[in-house]
Each structure stands twice: as structure tokens, then as C-alpha cells.
């Protein structure tokens, strides 16, 4: 994505949710480092930003199910990937978020 220097300048529209997938541990509990090919992507992510919500048939905003800072469960596949520098982010629709994780 050209021109995007910071993910903070990206503002989701409608019912979109910007998340960053949690990174898997590349090291076991005993300290053994695992090769990248054996480290699977986790389905957990941190919500960075949310849109204002979609409009219903009457033109009223539908409230979003998650907020910035929430920890969520996301689908293994899907979403729109965004890369800024070396960091990877994904945009999902609010309805695609599987669950909110209460810590």
C-alpha cells in the first residue's frame, strides 16, 4: 500500500475492524527455537481501530460489537491484508469477528 507510513493514519469505514494477528511463539517453553515453517498463525488478534458501524435500512448506525483494544478470535482465512513496513494487519467486517476474548 503506497503512501501509508503509519497504521494509525488508517481509519476503517462502516463496519470494518482493523486487527493485528497475535504472533505465535517461535520458542518452546524449554527454550528450543522453532523454524518459521512450523509456527502456525494464531486466530487471536488485537483490535486497533473500528469503523463507526454500518447503516441499517432506516439510515441508523448499527453499533459495533468490538472496540479498539479488544482481544478477539478471528477466522483462519479471509479479511483484507494490509502491510505497513514489516508489520501485517487485516481488515475484517464486524460480522466476521468470531468472538471477543475477555481477559
Amino acid at each position: 500500500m503506497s503512501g501509508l507510513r503509519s497504521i494509525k493514519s488508517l481509519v476503517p469505514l462502516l463496519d470494518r475492524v482493523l486487527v493485528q494477528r497475535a504472533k505465535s511463539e517461535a520458542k518452546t517453553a524449554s527454550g528450543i527455537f522453532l523454524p518459521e515453517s512450523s509456527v502456525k498463525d494464531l486466530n487471536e488478534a488485537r483490535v486497533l481501530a473500528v469503523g463507526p458501524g454500518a447503516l441499517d435500512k432506516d439510515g441508523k448506525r448499527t453499533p459495533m460489537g468490538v472496540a479498539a483494544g479488544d482481544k478477539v478470535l478471528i477466522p483462519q482465512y479471509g479479511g483484507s491484508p494490509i502491510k505497513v513496513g514489516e508489520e501485517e494487519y487485516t481488515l475484517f467486517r464486524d460480522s466476521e469477528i468470531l468472538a471477543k476474548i475477555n481477559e
Side-chain angles (χ1 to χ4, degrees):
M1 183 172 258
S2 63
L4 190 61
R5 297 189 198 294
S6 168
I7 200 65
K8 292 179 181 174
S9 62
L10 188 67
V11 179
L13 299 176
L14 297 173
D15 64 340
R16 301 297 194 299
V17 178
L18 178 67
V19 301
Q20 185 172 30
R21 195 180 291 270
K23 293 187 174 34
S24 336
E25 284 296 320
K27 188 167 80 167
T28 65
S30 59
I32 298 170
F33 285 94
L34 302 170
E36 269 188 45
S37 59
S38 69
V39 178
K40 289 173 47 178
D41 281 338
L42 293 178
N43 288 20
E44 290 180 14
R46 178 75 57 194
V47 176
L48 302 178
V50 296
L55 297 173
D56 66 14
K57 63 181 178 176
D58 299 323
K60 294 182 181 143
R61 292 258 177 223
T62 305
M64 298 292 282
V66 296
D70 286 348
K71 193 172 179 185
V72 294
L73 193 63
I74 56 173
Q76 185 70 34
Y77 302 103
S80 301
I82 298 167
K83 193 165 184 170
V84 178
E86 294 299 311
E87 295 293 321
E88 293 182 11
Y89 306 91
T90 311
L91 271 171
F92 285 100
R93 289 190 179 276
D94 187 45
S95 60
E96 293 174 323
I97 303 292
L98 302 175
K100 192 156 91 170
I101 301 170
N102 293 326
E103 298 181 279

